Amino acid sequence: MSAPSIRLHRILLLILAVLVFALCLWRAGAAPIIEGLPFKDSDDIMRLLQVQRWLETGAWYDLHQPRLNPPAGVEMHWSRLPDLPLAALIGLSEPLLGAERAALLAAYLVPALLGVAFFAAFVWAARPFTGRTGLLFAGLIAIALNVPLANFAAGRVDHHGWQLLLATLSAGALLRILALLGARLGTRLGRQPDAPTGTHQDRQLDAPKVTHHRQPDAQSTHRLAPRTPAPWLAPLAGVAGALGLWIGAEAIPPVALGAALLGLGWLRHGRPGAEQLARYGLALTATTVALIPLALAPGARDSTACDAFSWVSVALAAAVALFGLGALAGEHWLARRRQGVPPSQMAPNGRIGHFRRIGLLSRFKHLGPMRTRLLLAVPLALFLLGLLYALIPHCAGGPYAGLAEPSAQLVARVGEAQPLLKALRERPASTASFIALPLLALLMSAWRSRVGPRRARTGWLGLTLLITGGLLLMGWQLRGAALANLYAGLALAWWAAAVGARIGETRHLLPRLLRRAGPAVVVALLPLLVTLTVTRIGNSPADSAESAALTKAGSPSDSGTPSDSGGVSDPGNASPPSAAADPEDAEACNLPVIAELLNRPPWQAQAPLLIAAPVNLGAPLLWLTPHQVLAAPYHRNDGGIEAGTRIFFRDAETARKTLARRGVDLLLVCPHDPVATYERRDGITPFYDQLLAGETPDWLIDIPNAGPARLLMQR
């Protein structure tokens, strides 16, 4: 590519980055939990409340939320890393704008800026597949990936965008390693790289070929010689994985997939792959250990919590490092054994023909190097898993193991925690849209791993492994949709670049436009088309309502994600599961009207009052009013969730006793609380239903308001 073409591509990529920033800002109004504000769910609100409290107190380690479930409050399990840019922007703008406007400015700008960083990381990660000439097509695909990009919409200040950004950086580094290992394999087999000189495609895995070729001379042959992976690639992936573990347990699948990718590199390429695996594991472990003083308070640095960064995270990282060191030791052992075999006993392909002199390998005389490594890798992996179980048995059930019943039920009811098959039964249209691109990309990557150039097959196998891992994660919980669509986008970027590389074959305007933008348009519209198709086939009222919402939003869901983690989803709701803390809850409750009432005398003068409200509205009430709330959808708020359940979804006498015991001042009852769908029992009329029916016991006073909700006060 000539220098002017490179400059033009850079300018176009910069324009696309600006477009990404604008799209993220534009999506501020998509499915807000509070009308007129950009927040998408409870987590976004609680994140900003956490930052504001940090700025007020200056206490780095204090993640305590005193207005949630007082007087004890709730200790959040979150990381300070996503707080840093928010705090910096608020601190800089607060003297000019005031505290509230500065917080809203940060809520708009920080996710959009992270979206630009994600765009750049995705284009970088796709380069092994697209080549330098195809980076523009990778940028178009990045913009078309609705599900991952929705996590960077203005207002999404939660940690999901951070996890996707770090996963993209890790994937880009690891796929580069596999690409270079594969190129070395092609050279050892006597195949020169395909790319013509001057295109820099010798660095790429399976970049689309340009149309003009010439025979390389001696100097260009030297330039085409395959390189070893840069020494910083594996450590970069390790550092990204460690930062992800600091942010939350959602980083465990990308970290495990990273180890699996480099394990594949070891199996196929021997010692070079084992070295990269060891570097990745050691960087991962060293960074997690270094983060302990930042993440844990001095009195809590012996923590073994499963749901937050702790020594459990270090143990997981150390297991990856031990696996890499074990791979290196295995290669050293194999090399020593092979050195004792005479050339006459070696097969032409390098396999050992007779094994009497190498001890244990005599049992594997019909196996090649790759299968021998596999027989070493499986016992080693099983041993390390067993060691982890012995060291941290309390985490064997996952990050939320050992929760009390109310919190366990809350976690199980969150929309993004639903298994794929259950979601397909309940919401087939929107769920099908989340798996459409990963399935297409899986077929594409599996095909390229079979028919692509031999030097490219390791990288394509690695990408197939990533997409498969994302789909398996979706099978367990829908929260894997963003990761699966991210990995799918890398394969689709190759397809877009391959189509675009053939643009020189036609001079007509329409075919040229189709070759340039056609794949990106397909990627953007395929989820919507799948949704509409499934809706028409199902032809059910729920599907029709869901399709109408999808068509109105122009995306698989209003927020573009299967569900957010900030609340309970309603299995009987026909709308898309786009926000777990459903915006319809706030609309049905007319929350701004309630907040305006509570912010006026006499209620403001009595602040903070303790409010018992639907769990999904706990965080919005904390943001809109100076009062306290009993419950919000967080698993560490076990006492508040249990008290809220006993107040709303048991009999009136149980509610009265619980209100008195917890010192609740106000009771907010809203229509369409999704928790009621789960809690209604045969033979029992919950206190929630009695209040919705207009009943008022003599120990409560009804407070008039303009909305459909009921606000009551204890006598």
Side-chain angles (χ1 to χ4, degrees):
M1 183 184 293
S2 63
S5 296
I6 293 175
R7 285 195 295 271
L8 177 60
H9 273 232
R10 288 176 177 172
I11 292 173
L12 292 175
L13 284 172
L14 181 60
I15 293 173
L16 289 180
V18 174
L19 179 59
V20 168
F21 183 79
L23 285 174
C24 292
L25 291 179
W26 175 73
R27 298 188 72 164
I33 188 174
I34 304 173
E35 190 64 34
L37 296 177
F39 309 120
K40 303 299 184 289
D41 71 358
S42 295
D43 287 357
D44 300 323
I45 296 173
M46 293 301 293
R47 173 68 63 184
L48 269 184
L49 290 174
Q50 177 173 287
V51 172
Q52 288 180 327
R53 177 168 168 77
W54 174 31
L55 293 175
E56 291 171 2
T57 64
W60 170 269
Y61 298 108
D62 184 9
L63 300 178
H64 185 250
Q65 291 293 335
R67 291 201 293 144
L68 176 58
N69 190 33
V74 175
E75 186 76 17
M76 301 300 289
H77 59 292
W78 291 347
S79 162
R80 280 291 186 207
L81 180 59
D83 295 350
L84 294 176
L86 295 168
L89 190 53
I90 292 173
L92 290 173
S93 58
E94 187 174 354
L96 298 174
L97 303 176
E100 183 176 350
R101 290 185 178 180
L104 289 176
L105 178 67
Y108 276 95
L109 292 184
V110 170
L113 292 173
L114 283 177
V116 174
F118 168 77
F119 170 81
F122 181 88
V123 171
W124 177 78
R127 183 172 171 177
F129 298 92
T130 64
R132 176 177 292 182
T133 58
L135 293 181
L136 186 60
F137 298 102
L140 291 173
I141 294 297
I143 294 177
L145 290 174
N146 175 69
V147 174
L149 202 59
N151 290 276
F152 302 97
R156 292 295 287 138
V157 295
D158 192 21
H159 60 277
H160 297 296
W162 283 88
Q163 293 286 23
L164 282 175
L165 174 61
L166 294 171
T168 307
L169 290 172
S170 180
L174 297 176
L175 289 171
R176 272 171 166 72
I177 291 173
L178 294 185
L180 293 169
L181 291 176
R184 292 173 61 85
L185 173 64
T187 302
R188 288 201 306 271
L189 293 175
R191 296 174 174 84
Q192 292 296 331
D194 303 353
T197 58
T199 64
H200 297 275
Q201 290 184 13
D202 53 296
R203 305 175 190 176
Q204 317 310 326
L205 173 64
D206 192 15
K209 299 178 183 178
V210 296
T211 55
H212 302 288
H213 296 266
R214 64 180 177 85
Q215 292 295 326
D217 54 19
Q219 182 180 2
S220 63
T221 302
H222 174 72
R223 287 199 303 267
L224 287 171
R227 304 180 305 162
T228 57
W232 53 268
L233 286 174
L236 171 64
V239 171
L243 292 175
L245 290 175
W246 182 22
I247 293 173
E250 294 95 330
I252 294 176
V255 167
L257 288 172
L261 247 64
L262 293 181
L264 174 67
W266 168 42
L267 294 178
R268 289 179 62 85
H269 305 293
R271 186 175 183 85
E275 290 174 350
Q276 297 298 326
L277 178 58
R279 289 177 183 175
Y280 171 70
L282 290 174
L284 179 68
T285 304
T287 308
T288 52
V289 172
L291 288 174
I292 287 290
L294 283 174
L296 301 179
R301 288 180 181 161
D302 58 348
S303 171
T304 58
C306 305
D307 63 341
F309 187 82
S310 68
W311 285 99
V312 172
S313 310
V314 177
L316 295 173
V320 176
L322 290 174
F323 186 67
L325 294 175
L328 269 180
E331 284 299 312
H332 180 69
W333 180 73
L334 288 174
R336 289 187 59 185
R337 295 303 185 271
R338 290 194 183 100
Q339 288 174 359
V341 180
S344 60
Q345 297 184 9
M346 295 292 293
N349 61 1
R351 298 183 182 183
I352 299 173
H354 301 280
F355 295 80
R356 294 180 181 178
R357 298 189 181 186
I358 55 175
L360 185 61
L361 283 181
S362 61
R363 303 181 183 181
F364 309 138
K365 65 179 182 179
H366 298 299
L367 301 179
M370 183 173 174
R371 293 184 180 179
T372 303
R373 295 184 191 112
L374 183 62
L375 288 173
L376 294 176
V378 171
L380 177 60
L382 292 176
F383 169 76
L384 291 173
L385 289 175
L387 183 61
L388 284 175
Y389 181 79
L391 293 174
I392 48 175
H394 59 291
C395 296
Y400 303 125
L403 291 179
E405 183 179 356
S407 295
Q409 290 177 346
L410 172 76
V411 171
R413 293 166 182 171
V414 170
E416 69 171 8
Q418 303 305 310
L420 177 62
L421 292 179
K422 180 181 179 182
L424 281 171
R425 289 193 302 268
E426 296 178 353
R427 296 182 175 95
S430 60
T431 305
S433 72
F434 299 135
I435 63 175
L437 293 180
L439 289 178
L440 174 62
L442 180 63
L443 294 175
M444 191 177 296
S445 62
W447 171 65
R448 293 302 298 172
S449 67
R450 295 287 297 175
V451 305
R454 187 178 181 89
R455 66 185 179 88
R457 291 180 186 176
T458 301
W460 279 110
L461 283 172
L463 185 53
T464 303
L465 181 61
L466 287 178
I467 299 171
T468 303
L471 284 169
L472 290 176
L473 183 61
M474 282 186 67
W476 176 49
Q477 290 187 352
L478 275 184
R479 72 179 75 236
L483 198 63
N485 279 267
L486 161 64
Y487 295 147
L490 299 176
L492 297 170
W494 168 85
W495 172 52
V499 173
R502 302 179 61 184
I503 193 172
E505 298 178 4
T506 179
R507 296 183 179 179
H508 299 289
L509 178 60
L510 182 59
R512 290 174 70 88
L513 289 176
L514 289 176
R515 289 189 186 278
R516 286 190 183 279
V521 172
V522 171
V523 170
L525 294 182
L526 182 61
L528 180 60
L529 294 175
V530 168
T531 298
L532 296 176
T533 302
V534 173
T535 300
R536 183 167 295 276
I537 293 174
N539 198 27
S540 66
D543 284 344
S544 299
E546 186 175 3
S547 175
L550 293 167
T551 304
K552 179 180 178 181
S555 63
S557 70
D558 289 348
S559 68
T561 54
S563 177
D564 302 318
S565 59
V568 179
S569 63
D570 186 353
N573 187 1
S575 63
S578 58
D582 197 333
E584 292 187 2
D585 298 346
E587 293 175 5
C589 211
N590 204 350
L591 202 57
V593 171
I594 299 295
E596 184 181 359
L597 175 65
L598 294 176
N599 289 333
R600 296 201 309 257
W603 314 110
Q604 186 181 35
Q606 302 177 48
L609 299 172
L610 179 57
I611 305 172
V615 67
N616 284 349
L617 300 183
L621 284 169
L622 290 178
W623 179 263
L624 293 172
T625 74
H627 301 293
Q628 303 168 329
V629 297
L630 189 62
Y634 300 100
H635 65 275
R636 288 194 173 187
N637 182 29
D638 185 67
I641 294 170
E642 181 179 12
T645 302
R646 293 178 63 84
I647 291 170
F648 288 109
F649 305 111
R650 299 295 183 265
D651 58 81
E653 182 60 22
T654 302
R656 185 188 64 79
K657 292 179 179 179
T658 306
L659 287 168
R661 177 172 57 85
R662 292 304 309 266
V664 173
D665 300 298
L666 298 173
L667 189 63
L668 179 62
V669 184
C670 300
H672 311 303
D673 185 351
V675 179
T677 306
Y678 298 95
E679 291 292 342
R680 289 189 175 99
R681 292 172 170 82
D682 293 338
I684 298 177
T685 301
F687 189 49
Y688 167 84
D689 288 341
Q690 296 178 27
L691 293 175
L692 284 184
E695 299 180 20
T696 304
D698 56 7
W699 42 273
L700 288 178
I701 301 174
D702 209 338
I703 302 173
N705 68 89
R710 296 196 66 187
L711 186 63
L712 304 105
M713 177 182 65
Q714 285 204 86
R715 290 186 184 274

